[in-house]
Every structure is written in C-alpha cells, then in structure tokens.
Amino acid sequence: MNRLNSTYHQMIERNPNEQEFHQAVLEVLECLDPVAEQHPEWVRAGIFDRIVEPERQVIFRITWIDDQGRVQVNRGFRVQFNSAIGPYKGGLRLHPSVNLSVIKFLGFEQIFKNALTGLPIGGGKGGSDFNPRGKSDGEIMRFCQSFMTELYRHIGPDTDVPAGDIGTGAREIGYLYGQYKRLTNQHTGVLTGKGLTWGGSLARTEATGYGLCYFMEEALQAKNRSFNGSVVSISGSGNVALFALEKAAELGAKVVTLSDSDGYIYDPDGIDLDLAKQIKLVDRGRIRDYLEARPKAQYSDVIADIWTVPCDIALPCATQNEIDKTSAEKLVANGCTAIGEGANMPSTPEAVVVYLKNKLIYGPAKAANAGGVATSALEMSQNSMRYSWSFDEVDAKLKQIMIDIYKTVSQAAAAYGDPDNLMLGANIAGFEKVATAMYQQGVAY
Ligand code: NDP
C-alpha cells in the first residue's frame, strides 16, 4: 500500500477507535496501489483521500415511549458517503451493536457494491442502536415513527433512498414509510423494500439471497463446478440466509445449517425450508425451535462451531467478522472449497488470507451480495415509471446483473494480474467507476 499510506494514516487519525471502519478501508486501499500507479491524475485530484471521507454524517436522538409508558432514548445515524454516481442508497440497521464505526464501514462498502451493480446509485447507510428483539409491534411502530421524524429531512427520492438491513424488514419499512408520508404529504419512492401494494418490487425480498447464489453459481461454473450435488453451510436465519437457502436448494444443493445470535442448527438430511420460514418469518421465534418438529437435527449454542460442520460451500449470511482465522482453517480442513459472502464483511482479514492461500473460490460481499441493492434500484426505476414488472422479469434482470458483476470483477482481477482474486477485482472495478465520476465532476473550491 506504498502509494496510499498517507491516505490510510490520515483516515485513522481522523476517525480514532472506529475499528470496523478502519478494517473496511484497509481492505480496499490494499488492493488499490496498482490503480494509484496507473492513475497519477486521480492521486493529484485527491480522489483516494476524498473517497474515505463521508460527504455528510447525521447523528440524532430518537425518543420513543415503551409499553410501560417509560421514555426510551436511542441514537440514530445516516452516513451519506458518496453521491458521485447517483443518490445515496443503502439500508438501515437496527441492532444494539450499531455505532458510527459500524455504519461507516457499511456505508463505505456500499459505495463500491452499488457501483458494481452498473446502476446509478451512490453509497450510504444508516441505523440505530435500538434493539428490536422482544419489542411489541406497538413499540416497533413508535420507534420507527420517531426515527423517521428526524430522518425525513435528510432523504428524498433523488437525494437518499434508504432500505432494510439487519432488524429492518417489511414491517419496519412500512412504519417508516407511513411516517414519511404523513410528514411530507408525498407518496414517492423514498424507501425500498416497500409492500407490494404500495410501490414495492416483486423479488426484492428474495433478491440478496438469490443474487448471492446466482453470483456463486457463475464463479463455480468458471471452475467446472456447481451448487448441484454440493453440501452447503449457511449462517443466519434472516432475510438473506433464508432466500439463499431457497435458491441453493433449487439449484440442487443440500443446505445443512442455519443460525441466529443464540446458536445454530445442523440437519444432516437438509434443512426444511418451510419450517425455518414459519419459525423465523411468521412466528418470529428462535432457530432452536426447529428441533421441536425435527428432533433428529442438532442444536448448539457455540455459534462459531457452525464452521466446523463439513461442507463444500459456506455462505455466511449473519453479520460482520463471523468467520475468523480459526473458523476459516476449520472450514478448509473439513473440505470447504468455496465461500460466498451474503453478510457484509463476515470474514476477518486473517480469514480472507486463509481463503486466498488455499485457493478457495471466494465471492466477496461487495460483489456477491449486491443483488439486494440492485433490486432496490429496480424498485426505484419502477416507482419512477409508476409501473410494476412481474416477478420473473425482475428475477431475470437480477440474474443478469449478478452474472455481469461476476464478469466485471473477474476481468478486473485478470487485468491486474491475479485472475482468481475476486476481492481484488471487486475493489478495483468498483473504485474505478466511482473515481472516474468524481474526477469528471471536479473539486469544489
Ligand atoms: P436479518 O435481520 O433479517 O437477519 C439477521 C440474521 O443474522 C438473524 O438470524 C440474526 O439473528 C443473525 N445475527 C445478527 N446479528 C448477529 C450477531 N451479532 N451474531 C450472530 N448472529 C447474528 O438481516 P439480513 O438477513 O437482512 O442481513 C444479514 C446480513 O446481510 C447483514 O450483514 C446485512 O448487512 C447483509 N445484507 C443484507 C441485505 C438485505 O437486502 N437485507 C443486502 C446486503 C447485505 P437474531 O435473530 O438472533 O438477531
């Protein structure tokens, strides 16, 4: 990272104690040295220093009243990271671990992911340290309304279009949208992941998980392999995990694990998808409830042990840094030869070294999980046209986008001399698109 050392150190000094953000920036900058060499004009125009600094960061108080009548206070965030190629776009995460560092790592990743989709969307991310777990519907609604009461001033269909993420699903998007509409008297495409009768897109719910499998199938086929006949281990049991399971099974794989933040299940016969959907999407239960209907399955509350289950392909779909060096080594030792990241930054830098050293097929998050945001952009297009495409039309567009992303990142990796390194290809291809736009748009004096 010789040429970009000062960019990295300045970013650390300016953002002390933001570990997750530092990790995400380091991963990208480490891939960009040859780009800085090829483009001295980008260095002179300060593109590298500018891209690690968000255009705008908003932090605000969210006050709401719980079912006991007590006043609760949370913190809200929206980081508008980069608008060079389109309006800011990225989800809202509701989880007690949310802080500025987490939102900035997610927003930074989002810039390059969104660029890779080929669609005109910039990068942003937001959320709150609110914990949805155990809250009643009424509490969730009052929290979402209070969140939007501040957020609405900063977003808009041509400015910033938030979506879902951990803890923010269809129910939360509904409450947020209802409040936006009350405050502005406008029915516009200001959020994606909306309900199907009020502007949502068919296949948006499925898009991240399906897109992950489309991307990985392409990467596998390039090595004469396929999901068909493979054993797959998936972590998480939320939106991304469940629809990755659905598509992987449709492509002929046997998926044997799922997890939540309490533990994981292992079903050697293959996870019963309908049962898992009923538990997580309908009953809002815990993944261990699976054993009540399938007593032969196994449950463990040692979450990291999910990666000791033998598999051909691992799809981490829960959260950041869920696979460390030890887990990566166990995966490899037990026969895993491909990793597709459904979650954002689920692998520590040391785990990624293990993947690359052992020549695993490695689909990095910013390429492999871009299907969700790509379909959100398709929802924006449909809203602008006041028109809806069928499920099959959206799904076909999603599939083509994921195939194109695979081609783009593998070509960039080859052009920079390391054809199998899709992380290198994703970082370079995403960066080059945004850097070109920033350069063409000049520097503001
Ligand atoms: P959901 O809230 O629907 O599901 C998250 C799942 O991960 C749940 O099973 C949850 O368990 C588990 N989980 C969350 N935090 C932890 C933790 N600290 N340790 C262990 N398990 C945890 O979120 P999504 O499925 O939408 O998101 C999952 C990942 O995919 C995130 O990294 C997100 O940023 C990424 N992503 C999501 C996209 C989308 O379209 N939704 C798009 C691109 C990326 P529990 O129920 O116990 O909390």
Side-chain angles (χ1 to χ4, degrees):
M1 206 180 50
N2 290 342
R3 282 177 190 76
L4 301 173
N5 252 330
S6 74
T7 300
Y8 180 66
H9 289 294
Q10 193 182 43
M11 180 278 300
I12 300 264
E13 268 175 41
R14 194 173 270 158
N15 306 281
N17 306 318
E18 295 187 2
Q19 247 178 331
E20 294 85 357
F21 180 50
H22 299 170
Q23 183 183 334
V25 171
L26 181 63
E27 184 211 286
V28 173
L29 292 185
E30 276 185 335
C31 295
L32 295 184
D33 223 36
V35 179
E37 190 183 355
Q38 277 202 12
H39 290 280
E41 76 285 9
W42 288 352
V43 178
R44 280 196 300 276
I47 300 289
F48 297 88
D49 295 335
R50 284 154 61 191
I51 210 162
V52 299
E53 180 67 16
E55 291 175 11
R56 192 173 298 104
Q57 310 179 53
V58 193
I59 303 180
F60 50 95
R61 184 178 66 199
I62 305 170
T63 312
W64 56 281
I65 296 180
D66 70 18
D67 286 348
Q68 282 71 44
R70 289 177 305 220
V71 174
Q72 299 285 343
V73 179
N74 285 102
R75 181 172 285 182
F77 301 88
R78 187 71 186 166
V79 172
Q80 298 178 330
F81 223 117
N82 194 297
S83 61
I85 63 171
Y88 309 106
K89 182 95 198 78
L92 296 172
R93 177 174 291 193
L94 303 181
H95 194 270
S97 63
V98 163
N99 56 35
L100 186 58
S101 172
V102 168
I103 298 299
K104 277 164 70 176
F105 114 64
L106 290 163
F108 184 70
E109 291 256 306
Q110 199 81 44
I111 303 170
F112 309 104
K113 178 187 313 196
N114 293 3
L116 288 173
T117 66
L119 300 166
I121 38 178
K125 199 83 186 188
S128 170
D129 57 3
F130 172 77
N131 186 359
R133 195 163 163 183
K135 301 289 190 299
S136 69
D137 259 4
E139 289 176 320
I140 299 277
M141 183 176 74
R142 291 193 293 281
F143 167 81
C144 288
Q145 290 173 340
S146 185
F147 191 0
M148 185 52 83
T149 301
E150 172 61 30
L151 187 66
Y152 89 98
R153 331 166 188 278
H154 309 289
I155 61 176
D158 295 315
T159 308
D160 184 354
V161 183
D165 191 75
I166 291 180
T168 306
R171 173 181 58 170
E172 291 74 20
I173 292 290
Y175 294 147
L176 289 162
Y177 192 77
Q179 185 70 349
Y180 181 87
K181 199 160 54 61
R182 262 174 228 115
L183 289 166
T184 61
N185 198 26
Q186 283 180 6
H187 205 305
T188 64
V190 73
L191 293 170
T192 55
K194 298 186 290 297
L196 294 178
T197 56
W198 42 278
S201 173
L202 286 158
R204 172 61 188 93
T205 308
E206 293 82 356
T208 309
Y210 278 24
L212 171 65
C213 293
Y214 293 144
F215 180 92
M216 287 306 291
E217 183 69 3
E218 208 57 23
L220 289 161
Q221 284 189 3
K223 300 282 176 199
N224 296 317
R225 293 183 45 196
S226 155
F227 271 105
N228 196 14
S230 299
V231 173
V232 176
S233 181
I234 296 183
S235 65
S237 50
N239 172 268
V240 180
L242 290 172
F243 291 100
L245 193 168
E246 184 165 288
K247 185 53 71 177
E250 213 180 290
L251 291 170
K254 180 167 79 168
V255 179
V256 294
T257 66
L258 280 180
S259 67
D260 59 22
S261 48
D262 292 340
Y264 76 92
I265 51 165
Y266 170 49
D267 188 340
D269 296 334
I271 302 274
D272 178 336
L273 176 63
D274 290 339
L275 178 58
K277 278 187 176 171
Q278 176 69 34
I279 293 166
K280 296 306 287 190
L281 300 181
V282 182
D283 303 340
R284 294 186 187 273
R286 307 306 299 162
I287 202 64
R288 64 174 162 267
D289 302 344
Y290 184 88
L291 266 64
E292 285 167 22
R294 296 282 284 246
K296 281 197 195 140
Q298 296 159 31
Y299 176 77
S300 165
D301 59 9
V302 186
I303 297 177
D305 280 359
I306 191 172
W307 307 121
T308 63
V309 172
C311 65
D312 303 305
I313 302 166
L315 303 177
C317 295
T319 193
Q320 64 267 15
N321 291 329
E322 53 173 310
I323 304 183
D324 62 8
K325 180 170 185 269
T326 310
S327 295
E329 285 169 347
K330 283 184 183 153
L331 278 167
V332 172
N334 286 327
C336 176
T337 50
I339 304 265
E341 296 184 331
N344 284 310
M345 205 167 76
S347 312
T348 64
E350 296 77 21
V352 173
V353 171
V354 174
Y355 306 156
L356 297 179
K357 213 170 81 189
N358 288 281
K359 303 209 173 306
L360 267 62
I361 298 173
Y362 169 45
K366 54 174 79 68
N369 75 20
V373 74
T375 308
S376 276
L378 298 178
E379 182 173 327
M380 289 165 72
S381 303
Q382 293 168 83
N383 292 163
S384 298
M385 293 188 290
R386 305 223 182 278
Y387 187 72
S388 302
W389 292 316
S390 69
F391 186 98
D392 288 347
E393 279 174 293
V394 180
D395 190 35
K397 289 182 202 299
L398 166 66
K399 188 170 181 184
Q400 192 56 52
I401 288 169
M402 298 315 294
I403 292 172
D404 291 345
I405 293 176
Y406 174 76
K407 282 190 192 137
T408 303
V409 302
S410 55
Q411 280 164 8
Y416 280 85
D418 196 353
D420 288 332
N421 188 341
L422 301 181
M423 176 182 74
L424 180 83
N427 285 329
I428 290 179
F431 175 82
E432 285 190 334
K433 182 164 179 199
V434 181
T436 304
M438 289 173 75
Y439 187 71
Q440 290 170 351
Q441 290 170 21
V443 186
Y445 288 89

